[in-house]
Amino acid sequence: MKGNKFNKILAEHQQRIYSLALYILRDAHEAEDITQDVFTRLWNNFEQVEFKKIAVWLSAVTRNACIDKLRKRREFSQIEDQHQVTIEHQEPAGNLQHQQLSTWLNNAISCLKEPYSSLIMLCDVQQNSQSIAAQSLNLTTTQVKVYLHRARHELRSLLKEFTHE
């Protein structure tokens, strides 16, 4: 029974957890390791985790594991950009424009302080609800709304700087 539930959760959430880890760490191998660690923790703590809060639990554990990994690297503010959103374009110019925009966006998000960058990632990039983001980051929904508004404002300012360099 536990194996069937676990496999269903794994199939449903594995890609999202990997994407979150990849976004934070900017390293595919480390993101794979973190994803595996997160699901190992889930397996080991399966009876203690509430099934209806599994998405929140997985996001919080992933984020915390990534932050621990970044602290060990001591490079939190100097993460290399290895994650690019890929969309195929018909023309090389369109592909180049998309790549530049993606680079600007990733650089701007990485310049945001916490919890701003995590909120942008959880709410805007991964399209999670504000209540899930609040639970994942141990914030109230009011704090999420305020911080998200500030984060988006700061992100707009940073993008203006990046695009006018």
Side-chain angles (χ1 to χ4, degrees), residues 140-154:
T140 66
T141 52
T142 303
Q143 286 174 311
V144 166
K145 289 176 185 178
V146 170
Y147 291 165
L148 196 54
H149 175 76
R150 291 176 185 168
R152 288 172 179 156
H153 179 74
E154 194 172 320

Side-chain angles (χ1 to χ4, degrees), residues 63-122:
R63 181 178 175 272
N64 291 340
C66 289
I67 288 172
D68 289 345
K69 178 71 90 174
L70 289 172
R71 284 183 182 141
K72 287 178 186 171
R73 274 201 262 157
R74 299 191 191 280
E75 295 180 286
F76 188 77
S77 64
Q78 299 174 344
I79 302 169
E80 289 185 9
D81 181 36
Q82 295 177 1
H83 172 65
Q84 294 288 329
V85 179
T86 57
I87 295 177
E88 291 184 25
H89 291 280
Q90 298 297 329
E91 305 170 13
N95 203 9
L96 184 61
Q97 277 183 320
H98 174 73
Q99 195 172 35
Q100 183 62 54
L101 179 60
S102 182
T103 300
W104 287 335
L105 186 58
N106 286 326
N107 288 340
I109 292 172
S110 69
C111 289
L112 295 173
K113 297 179 286 184
E114 282 299 325
Y116 294 174
S117 62
S118 292
L119 284 170
I120 293 291
M121 179 60 190
L122 288 169

Side-chain angles (χ1 to χ4, degrees), residues 38 41-42 45 49 53-62 136:
V38 167
R41 288 182 195 178
L42 175 62
N45 297 296
V49 179
K53 293 186 179 182
I54 198 73
V56 172
W57 188 89
L58 289 169
S59 295
V61 171
T62 302
S136 297

